[in-house]
Amino acid sequence: MALLRGRGYASVNYPTGMNLGGDPSQALIHATTMGGFVVSLSSVDLGQGLKTIAAQCAAETLGMPMDNVIVDTADTDTGPHCMGTFASRGTHRVGNAVIMAAREAREVMLQVAAEELEVDADDLETDGSGFVRLKGSPETKIHVQDIALAAHFKQGRTISGRGIFLKERSYPVPETGEMDPDSAQAHACTVAEVEVDDETGIVTVLSLHNAYEIGRALNPAMVTQQVEGGAWMGVSHAVFEATEPYYPSSRAHGPVDFCEYLMPGPAETPVQTSVILERPASNGPFGAKGIGEMTANAPIPAVANAIFDACGVRITVMPFTPESILRGLDELRDAEPSA
Amino acid sequence: MAKINEIDTEFFADERSSSFTVIGTPAQRSDALGHVTGKTEFFEDRAFPDLAHVKIHRSVHHHARIDSVDCSEALKVPGVLRVITHHDVPANWYLVLRLIGVEPHDEPVLAEDRVLYVGEPIVAVVADTEAAAIEGASRVKVSYTELPAVLDVEEALSPDAPVIKKDGTNYFVYEGHHARRIRFGDVEEGFAQADHVFEWRYSSAPIEHAPTETTGCIVVPQSGNRLLIHSNTQAAFFTLDNTALILDRPFTDLQVKGGTVGGGFGGKVDVIVEPLACIAATLTNRPVKFVYSREEEMQVSSPRAAERIYIKDGVMADGRIVARKVMLYVDSGAYSRHTPYGTTKAAAHLPGPYTIPNVHADCHCVYTNRTPSSAMRGFGVTIADFAIESQMDRIARALDIDPLELRLRNAYRDGDMKAHRKVASGTALIEVIQRAAALVGHDLPPEYLAMSSSTPREA
């Protein structure tokens, strides 16, 4: 009996968006009296960081610090329409809508500033710290608080903007499947290393080495959490999870809680080493592609291929249970000519 | 300080701008501190003094005719306020994808005369306490006549299988076809031309989204006849629109507030709890909570569809894949939910990130007497990737070609025509393979290191 090690590879791509169904999201933005900017959405942040991304996109476009941006979302009375958070679409669709809204608001902001400074709006720029200044003459400047106050109480203008992203719906051609199903494709390659215990059939995923191409890392820390969390989920699908362990033959023994529905704990979680590549998408917000879903996918076949490399058992059914490994090993032994 | 993965700026250097101030910075996630300090407010953290609770009486059979439903004992349980049957649901038959024009409406909110899966909701019980609602639901008496069940996707498609769907077929009909089709080139010609033909089968069991927070909502009647829905939905307007259609009420009657979700992964886009909670709130004029127990989340809420995939490849001796035929069977369970969409998404994904001149795929969305499956992270793609990438590994081994070199030889590039007849752009499969190889010290020959996604392949 032995612990057998193996390495497996997998490379995948993944589409951004769901424009087989019609795929719009909207954003509204307005300045408060003191130069805050409220981004109004109805989009749902699932914990992946959509609110933070919306704030970054707004701040970058407005030329204001992130602290000035407030994101108000997930209320259908106050936020404009969003199709929803799925299909790796949030960053791409909502990001684009926020940028469009912020551009419009920025234009008004610069016009108000121009009137206060008695210059041409085209000659103004933001400095990223909260000031609007004259290009080439940075002493001629006005803080966003003063711009907002002037807009509200002196000029009678709303510093606001409207944004929408819509990729027109694609209807597949029934005969051929011709369609335009996505806005971009992200990419991943995973190398998995596993250890197979040929006595118990237990597969331990030791490490994952990943390269991800994601368009643009709008927030590298959140990219890290998303790719690592996703890859963990892939490992979990590969070697642990099933709501029907005996699918399709029976529905018996379906787990009903986390004592029965197994997932990797800290001891079963592989070491992950990942590198990010950026090939900006022409239609993405600052080039970003959607990566929410993709990162769970490559680890699964990489682990399957590593199991074969380790012990010669080709697993074709998910999840890769100890039972399936042991049955595979038995078949290999049975196939060997007897000594 | 958060861990941050390296960004390798050597790749696509001429396509990257870097003149950003906020973009590209590791700004702290806005909800992180609230989560780790316990200050985040989830929908269940809202307290209402007169909150009522909904629990469901569910089918115990895979497939049965309902002969009678007796709620009299349930109504005698102290604290039970109401029972809700399909008669109380204004537009009982629905399909969440109706918002994008998909038909037929194949699922009842509450079962009428038949149940198609174990766990199908038949009666909802509203009570003062959760315990009373559970007790009431357990006392509903349903008498059934069992019907033959179909639990296997390929058996469901066989001519002698019992038809379980009222619309007449055990599969979703795609504009007159029994499957979403991909037809590109001529696979039979490709197989004839190939040096090797490989055909293998892959499959998966259903899996659960396993969110920390189970699916649920609290509906609070407002002055002026509106209903305020506190929900952990992943899609506020999707929930609102579907709920209004089921309630047959003006859309402006409803307000959805959410945005704090203890794990979604596609499991919170089905619009299951909100309609019944709204009906219960309307009938009792009280705030009503309907939240799945962990057991319901695991066995009744939609899982990721189980899939069965046959891939047949024609391959040249040098590893070029010249034909790929895929027969995909997606187990939708008893109802459609989002699976007809996911099956089309699967078709669009085939034959994977490779340029293959002849591709034929039939992607079947199949109905069986199982828990309806629906959206989940990687919808339509995850299981296909398992199959495709296992297939690639097996071909590489069969032909004694390095597994990464095989992939690089077939990798799609800018300008290639995909099987769904969209010209590929922004591709980067070659580069992620090259970079992953470098990460683990897997040596690639110079001609493979020189490949580039933006360089057209040689004819």
Side-chain angles (χ1 to χ4, degrees):
Chain A
M1 297 298 156
L3 296 173
L4 306 168
R5 286 205 175 191
R7 180 190 272 188
Y9 303 85
S11 57
V12 303
N13 61 343
Y14 200 89
T16 297
M18 56 159 276
N19 61 295
L20 295 169
D23 203 5
S25 284
Q26 296 188 30
L28 298 174
I29 188 166
H30 75 272
T32 65
T33 52
M34 297 303 285
F37 287 87
V38 179
V39 178
S40 298
L41 309 165
S42 68
S43 313
V44 174
D45 187 336
L46 296 180
Q48 83 281 38
L50 183 59
K51 280 188 284 194
T52 309
I53 290 297
Q56 285 184 270
C57 288
E60 184 72 47
T61 308
L62 291 163
M64 290 292 139
M66 260 187 88
D67 289 347
N68 283 45
V69 178
I70 298 157
V71 177
D72 174 29
T73 191
D75 183 334
T76 55
D77 271 12
T78 60
H81 177 260
C82 172
M83 199 71 187
T85 304
F86 38 69
S88 300
R89 66 183 297 283
T91 290
H92 190 279
R93 272 62 175 138
V94 178
N96 273 320
V98 168
I99 290 169
M100 181 176 170
R103 278 198 188 123
E104 189 171 300
R106 176 188 168 96
E107 197 173 315
V108 182
M109 174 179 76
L110 294 182
Q111 287 165 3
V112 173
E115 194 161 323
E116 293 303 300
L117 293 172
E118 297 182 337
V119 297
D120 193 316
D122 291 341
D123 297 331
L124 292 175
E125 64 183 8
T126 47
D127 75 348
S129 79
F131 284 96
V132 171
R133 66 189 180 192
L134 193 59
K135 288 176 196 166
S137 174
E139 290 73 38
T140 306
K141 64 180 181 180
I142 180 170
H143 194 265
V144 66
Q145 274 190 15
D146 298 315
I147 301 171
L149 283 168
H152 278 84
F153 299 108
K154 200 169 140 195
Q155 298 187 23
R157 303 190 67 174
T158 63
I159 300 178
S160 60
R162 303 153 296 169
I164 183 167
F165 182 86
L166 171 66
K167 173 150 175 153
E168 202 184 335
R169 182 173 178 185
S170 165
Y171 291 86
V173 175
E175 302 305 319
T176 62
E178 177 174 349
M179 58 181 135
D180 177 8
D182 54 53
S183 294
Q185 292 276 345
H187 302 87
C189 183
T190 292
V191 185
E193 284 179 305
V194 306
E195 192 171 72
V196 179
D197 185 327
D198 70 357
E199 184 173 1
T200 62
I202 288 174
V203 174
T204 305
V205 183
L206 301 171
S207 70
L208 300 174
H209 288 83
N210 309 294
Y212 297 103
E213 187 281 310
I214 67 172
R216 168 67 76 166
L218 302 186
N219 182 321
M222 295 201 306
V223 167
T224 299
Q225 70 167 32
Q226 198 157 41
V227 299
E228 292 210 350
W232 176 91
M233 194 168 180
V235 169
S236 190
H237 290 353
V239 295
F240 287 100
E241 297 184 42
T243 55
E244 298 183 31
Y246 293 96
Y247 182 92
S249 60
S250 117
R251 285 214 56 180
H253 303 287
V256 297
D257 60 32
F258 286 121
C259 297
E260 298 173 349
Y261 191 82
L262 300 183
M263 299 188 290
E268 293 87 28
T269 298
V271 177
Q272 292 191 38
T273 307
S274 301
V275 174
I276 305 302
L277 310 186
E278 297 180 323
R279 187 177 194 195
S282 57
N283 57 22
F286 306 108
K289 299 173 175 178
I291 60 161
E293 299 173 88
M294 174 180 76
T295 57
N297 293 348
I300 301 169
V303 168
N305 296 336
I307 290 170
F308 184 88
D309 191 53
C311 68
V313 173
R314 176 56 64 184
I315 300 291
T316 59
V317 180
M318 286 173 60
F320 319 145
T321 61
E323 180 178 339
S324 61
I325 303 288
L326 290 177
R327 288 187 189 283
L329 287 170
D330 282 349
E331 276 177 36
L332 288 177
R333 285 191 198 100
D334 291 346
E336 276 173 17
S338 46
Chain B
M1 188 59 198
K3 176 182 172 185
I4 298 176
N5 290 325
E6 176 200 344
I7 298 176
D8 188 337
T9 55
E10 301 262 311
F11 288 85
F12 308 111
D14 55 338
E15 297 182 42
R16 297 174 69 259
S17 147
S18 53
S19 57
F20 299 124
T21 53
V22 184
I23 292 301
T25 63
Q28 185 173 53
R29 216 176 81 195
S30 61
D31 57 3
L33 280 176
H35 285 356
V36 298
T37 57
K39 291 199 168 71
T40 300
E41 193 178 67
F42 294 86
F43 85 90
E44 274 193 283
D45 292 328
R46 289 182 176 81
F48 300 90
D50 52 349
L51 184 67
H53 301 260
V54 167
K55 290 289 169 185
I56 305 293
H57 183 89
R58 301 182 177 281
S59 164
V60 296
H61 294 296
H62 293 303
H63 190 197
R65 196 172 67 230
I66 294 176
D67 297 319
S68 67
V69 176
D70 178 0
C71 299
S72 56
E73 292 300 313
L75 285 164
K76 288 179 191 160
V77 173
V80 167
L81 302 167
R82 278 288 301 225
V83 296
I84 297 170
T85 69
H86 67 89
H87 297 292
D88 300 302
V89 184
N92 194 41
W93 291 86
Y94 75 107
L95 172 60
V96 283
L97 287 171
R98 71 166 91 178
L99 297 183
I100 58 169
V102 178
E103 292 183 331
H105 300 170
D106 73 333
E107 181 166 6
V109 175
L110 292 172
E112 295 185 359
D113 60 345
R114 286 219 296 178
V115 285
L116 297 192
Y117 68 99
V118 170
E120 180 159 0
I122 301 171
V123 175
V125 176
V126 197
D128 282 328
T129 64
E130 198 173 0
I134 291 169
E135 181 65 21
S138 74
R139 297 215 193 166
V140 172
K141 290 199 190 81
V142 179
S143 58
Y144 303 91
T145 301
E146 270 196 84
L147 299 168
V150 182
L151 294 170
D152 183 277
V153 284
E154 287 179 271
E155 281 172 31
L157 297 181
S158 76
D160 47 352
V163 174
I164 63 170
K165 297 291 284 183
K166 71 180 171 67
D167 298 298
T169 59
N170 289 343
Y171 53 86
F172 182 81
V173 178
Y174 290 94
E175 297 97 28
H177 294 294
H178 65 282
R180 174 59 74 202
R181 297 153 58 112
I182 298 288
R183 297 288 186 272
F184 184 66
D186 183 338
V187 279
E188 295 308 327
E189 202 171 287
F191 293 137
Q193 161 201 351
D195 296 318
H196 306 272
V197 174
F198 301 104
E199 184 172 15
W200 288 299
R201 172 195 200 257
Y202 307 89
S203 63
S204 66
I207 55 179
E208 165 55 24
H209 309 79
T212 312
E213 178 199 35
T214 59
T215 305
C217 68
I218 294 174
V219 176
V220 187
Q222 306 290 293
S223 59
N225 214 26
R226 296 186 82 206
L227 295 170
L228 170 55
I229 304 169
H230 297 284
S231 168
N232 59 14
T233 175
Q234 290 178 228
F237 271 103
F238 202 78
T239 294
L240 187 155
D241 294 349
N242 268 299
T243 303
L245 289 168
I246 289 167
L247 300 178
D248 195 21
R249 286 178 68 157
F251 294 72
T252 46
D253 275 6
L254 305 181
Q255 177 184 8
V256 175
K257 283 177 96 164
T260 304
V261 184
F265 311 110
K268 290 171 177 155
V269 292
D270 271 356
V271 197
I272 300 288
V273 291
E274 291 87 356
L276 281 173
C278 284
I279 290 166
T282 304
L283 291 173
T284 61
N285 197 29
R286 286 170 62 164
V288 170
K289 176 158 95 172
F290 180 10
V291 59
Y292 277 159
S293 67
R294 180 60 61 189
E295 179 170 356
E296 286 174 308
E297 190 71 43
M298 294 239 171
Q299 289 295 321
V300 176
S301 83
S302 308
R304 181 199 295 291
E307 295 182 19
R308 190 171 302 167
I309 307 175
Y310 296 87
I311 306 181
K312 181 178 179 182
D313 285 340
V315 190
M316 304 309 290
D318 64 2
R320 280 180 300 124
I321 304 171
V322 293
R324 174 164 283 176
K325 182 176 180 179
V326 180
M327 300 299 275
L328 167 66
Y329 303 92
V330 180
D331 191 341
S332 184
Y335 298 108
S336 292
R337 298 200 181 165
H338 292 278
T339 302
Y341 185 90
T343 306
T344 293
K345 189 170 173 181
H349 186 63
L350 298 173
Y354 304 107
T355 291
I356 299 175
N358 303 293
V359 178
H360 174 119
D362 277 353
C363 301
H364 304 78
C365 170
V366 187
Y367 302 112
T368 63
N369 292 111
R370 290 183 183 273
T371 305
S373 63
S374 196
M376 186 167 179
R377 182 184 209 160
F379 203 20
V381 173
T382 300
I383 312 300
D385 279 348
F386 162 56
I388 291 166
E389 289 302 297
S390 296
Q391 186 88 358
M392 296 302 282
D393 195 66
R394 296 169 93 168
I395 293 169
R397 287 176 185 278
L399 301 184
D400 198 22
I401 295 175
D402 177 273
L404 294 184
E405 291 174 28
L406 177 79
R407 289 172 171 85
L408 288 166
R409 258 175 237 187
N410 290 286
Y412 76 153
R413 304 186 188 193
D414 293 1
D416 287 352
M417 182 63 81
K418 295 185 178 186
H420 56 268
R421 291 175 170 77
K422 180 178 177 177
V423 176
S425 62
T427 58
L429 190 77
I430 287 171
E431 287 76 8
V432 293
I433 294 173
Q434 291 166 334
R435 192 64 186 82
L439 261 184
V440 295
H442 181 120
D443 289 331
L444 291 171
E447 65 266 34
Y448 289 89
L449 291 172
M451 285 180 174
S452 152
S453 290
S454 50
T455 307
R457 72 178 53 245
E458 296 128 38

